[in-house]
C-alpha cells in the first residue's frame, strides 16, 4: 500500500481524498518509480477541486509532474536506482500522476535528472519552471535581445510567471511584471532586479487594438483580454509567448498587431514536447534557476495537505511554487 491523492466521480459527485492505494492498482507501464517530490500546479488545482475538465478518467491520481527513483523497470533504458523526473504526457489527466508515493509510467515519458540536480530542486522548478524556460527559449529563438526593450511577464506572482521573470533577468532583460498582488510580487522579485510592477487590472479588461509600444516581447500565462493587451502593446517585430489561461481560454483579439506591427504570437505547450527538447530545456532551466533562487519562490508541503493547497491556489492565496513531499 502507498499514500496518494485519489479522485473519484460518481452519482454522489466529485471527490478527492488523501488515502491509501494498493500497488497492484497502479496502471500499466514500463517503469515503476518511488516518488520523492511532486508539486501543485494550476492544472493540478483544477483537477483536485473539479473546477476544470482536467481529469479524463476515474479513479485518477492527479499530479502532472514528479521526481524520484526507479524501483522496477522492464525497459533497458532505465535501471533500478536511476533518478528520473516526469512532466506532461497527460499524466495526472489520463494516466495516474505524481501526487502519490508510487507511479508506474511508460519509459519514454521519463527524463533523467540533470547532472547535479536533486528531486526537490527539479520539482521546485517543476512543470511551471519548465514551461517558463520553453517560453524564454521561444523568445530567444525569435531573436529577441535585451537591447530591444523590456519583456512583459503576466501572472508574475504565479509559478510560471515568477520563474520566467527570474530567468529573463539572469539573461539581462528588463522585466515588466504584471500581477494581481503587486506588493507581494515586488517583494518576491526585487532580489532578482525586477523593478517595474503593474497591476493585472491594467491588462485584464478590453483594450484598443493597437496600443503604445511598451515591450519588445511578452510571456503570457493568463490568456483572454490580458493576452490581447500584451499583443497590442508589443513593439514592432516583437514576440508574445502564450502558455496559460488563468483568465480564460478566449482570445478577444484582432489582427492589427500581427499585420501592422509584425508581432508573432508563439504558442508554448509543455505536455507533448519532444524528448530532445525536454532534455535541452531541463539543462537550461537548471542552469538559470538555482537552489538559492528556488528557495525564495517555493515552499515544501506534505502530500497530506495537497487538497487544501489546491483550494488555496485557486483562491489566489499561493505565491510562487508549492513542492509536495510525497513521503509526508
Amino acid at each position: 500500500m502507498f499514500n496518494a491523492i485519489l479522485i473519484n466521480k460518481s452519482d454522489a459527485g466529485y471527490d478527492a481524498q488523501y488515502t491509501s492505494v494498493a500497488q497492484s492498482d497502479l496502471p500499466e507501464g514500463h517503469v515503476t518509480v518511488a516518488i520523492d517530490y511532486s508539486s501543485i500546479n494550476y492544472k493540478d488545482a483544477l483537477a483536485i477541486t473539479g473546477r476544470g475538465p482536467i481529469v479524463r478518467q476515474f479513479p485518477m491520481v492527479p499530479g502532472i509532474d514528479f521526481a524520484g527513483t526507479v524501483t522496477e523497470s522492464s525497459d533497458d533504458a532505465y535501471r533500478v536506482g536511476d533518478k528520473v523526473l516526469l512532466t506532461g504526457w497527460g499524466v495526472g489527466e489520463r494516466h495516474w500522476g505524481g501526487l502519490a508515493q508510487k507511479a508506474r509510467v511508460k519509459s519514454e515519458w521519463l527524463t533523467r535528472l540533470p547532472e547535479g540536480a536533486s528531486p526537490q530542486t527539479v520539482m521546485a522548478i517543476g512543470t511551471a519552471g519548465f514551461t517558463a524556460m520553453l517560453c524564454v527559449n521561444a523568445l530567444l529563438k525569435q531573436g529577441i535581445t535585451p537591447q530591444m526593450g523590456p519583456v512583459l511577464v503576466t501572472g508574475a506572482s504565479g509559478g510560471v510567471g515568477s520563474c520566467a521573470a527570474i530567468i529573463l533577468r539572469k539573461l539581462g532583460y528588463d522585466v515588466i511584471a504584471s500581477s494581481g498582488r503587486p506588493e507581494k510580487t515586488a517583494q518576491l522579485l526585487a532580489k532578482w532586479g525586477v523593478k517595474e510592477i503593474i497591476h493585472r487590472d491594467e491588462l485584464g479588461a478590453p483594450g484598443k487594438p493597437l496600443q503604445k509600444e511598451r515591450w519588445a516581447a511578452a510571456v503570457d500565462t493568463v490568456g483572454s483580454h490580458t493576452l490581447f493587451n500584451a499583443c497590442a502593446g508589443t513593439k514592432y517585430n516583437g514576440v508574445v509567448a502564450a502558455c496559460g489561461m488563468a483568465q480564460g481560454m478566449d482570445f478577444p483579439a484582432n489582427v492589427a498587431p500581427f499585420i501592422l506591427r509584425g508581432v508573432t504570437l508563439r504558442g508554448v505547450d509543455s505536455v507533448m514536447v519532444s524528448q530532445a527538447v525536454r532534455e535541452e530545456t531541463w539543462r537550461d532551466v537548471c542552469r538559470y534557476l538555482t537552489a538559492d533562487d528556488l528557495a525564495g519562490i517555493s515552499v515544501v508541503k506534505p502530500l497530506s495537505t495537497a487538497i487544501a493547497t489546491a483550494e488555496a491556489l485557486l483562491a489566489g492565496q499561493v505565491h510562487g511554487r508549492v513542492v509536495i513531499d510525497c513521503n509526508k
Side-chain angles (χ1 to χ4, degrees):
M1 303 294 289
F2 62 92
N3 295 327
I5 304 298
L6 191 67
I7 301 171
N8 276 289
K9 187 178 182 180
S10 65
D11 292 341
Y14 194 95
D15 179 56
Q17 292 187 357
Y18 173 64
T19 187
S20 294
V21 178
Q23 183 159 325
S24 58
D25 290 334
L26 284 170
E28 293 183 359
H30 309 117
V31 182
T32 303
V33 179
I35 300 174
D36 295 315
Y37 294 94
S38 184
S39 69
I40 298 288
N41 299 279
Y42 182 72
K43 186 181 285 188
D44 298 321
L46 292 176
I48 290 170
T49 61
R51 296 183 197 174
I54 303 300
V55 178
R56 305 300 182 182
Q57 61 186 50
F58 299 89
M60 176 59 62
V61 173
I64 63 174
D65 54 20
F66 65 76
T69 305
V70 172
T71 58
E72 298 176 28
S73 178
S74 61
D75 188 323
D76 291 340
Y78 293 98
R79 297 181 178 181
V80 173
D82 285 348
K83 300 292 185 181
V84 295
L85 67 92
L86 185 148
T87 61
W89 299 115
V91 168
E93 303 173 61
R94 297 183 296 272
H95 189 98
W96 282 19
L99 288 172
Q101 292 178 302
K102 297 276 187 180
R104 185 178 293 137
V105 297
K106 294 182 178 180
S107 58
E108 57 264 33
W109 295 347
L110 294 169
T111 302
R112 295 183 187 279
L113 255 64
E115 186 176 353
S118 70
Q120 182 175 338
T121 296
V122 296
M123 281 301 100
I125 295 170
T127 293
F130 177 70
T131 304
M133 193 73 245
L134 288 170
C135 289
V136 173
N137 280 342
L139 304 186
L140 297 178
K141 289 174 182 177
Q142 290 289 331
I144 301 298
T145 66
Q147 293 72 32
M148 295 169 70
V151 177
L152 170 71
V153 176
T154 66
S157 61
V160 178
S162 57
C163 288
I166 294 168
I167 294 168
L168 286 163
R169 282 298 302 147
K170 288 197 171 185
L171 287 168
Y173 293 84
D174 289 329
V175 171
I176 300 173
S178 169
S179 170
R181 303 181 291 274
E183 292 183 3
K184 289 283 187 182
T185 303
Q187 294 174 9
L188 189 70
L189 298 177
K191 65 180 289 187
W192 291 280
V194 176
K195 298 176 182 178
E196 186 172 357
I197 313 287
I198 62 176
H199 199 282
R200 68 182 176 198
D201 290 348
E202 189 174 330
L203 302 174
K208 296 180 180 179
L210 280 179
Q211 301 168 26
K212 180 180 177 181
E213 296 179 69
R214 298 174 64 184
W215 36 80
V219 173
D220 177 62
T221 71
V222 178
S224 192
H225 293 292
T226 299
L227 176 57
F228 162 77
N229 288 312
C231 293
T234 299
K235 295 182 178 183
Y236 192 83
N237 278 344
V239 181
V240 177
C243 67
M245 57 174 189
Q247 187 178 12
M249 290 186 67
D250 59 319
F251 183 39
N254 59 72
V255 299
F258 312 116
I259 64 172
L260 298 180
R261 288 188 183 159
V263 171
T264 296
L265 178 58
R266 176 72 160 80
V268 174
D269 165 63
S270 67
V271 177
M272 303 301 292
V273 65
S274 72
Q275 192 59 258
V277 173
R278 286 175 188 273
E279 292 173 358
E280 175 189 5
T281 304
W282 274 108
R283 287 194 297 268
D284 288 343
V285 73
C286 286
R287 184 185 314 130
Y288 294 120
L289 292 179
T290 67
D292 287 343
D293 297 328
L294 296 164
I297 62 168
S298 64
V299 62
V300 180
K301 294 189 175 184
L303 178 62
S304 58
T305 68
I307 296 173
T309 300
E311 294 280 1
L313 190 153
L314 294 183
Q317 299 168 355
V318 172
H319 314 294
R321 296 278 298 141
V322 178
V323 179
I324 297 296
D325 185 335
C326 291
N327 294 299
K328 288 186 179 181

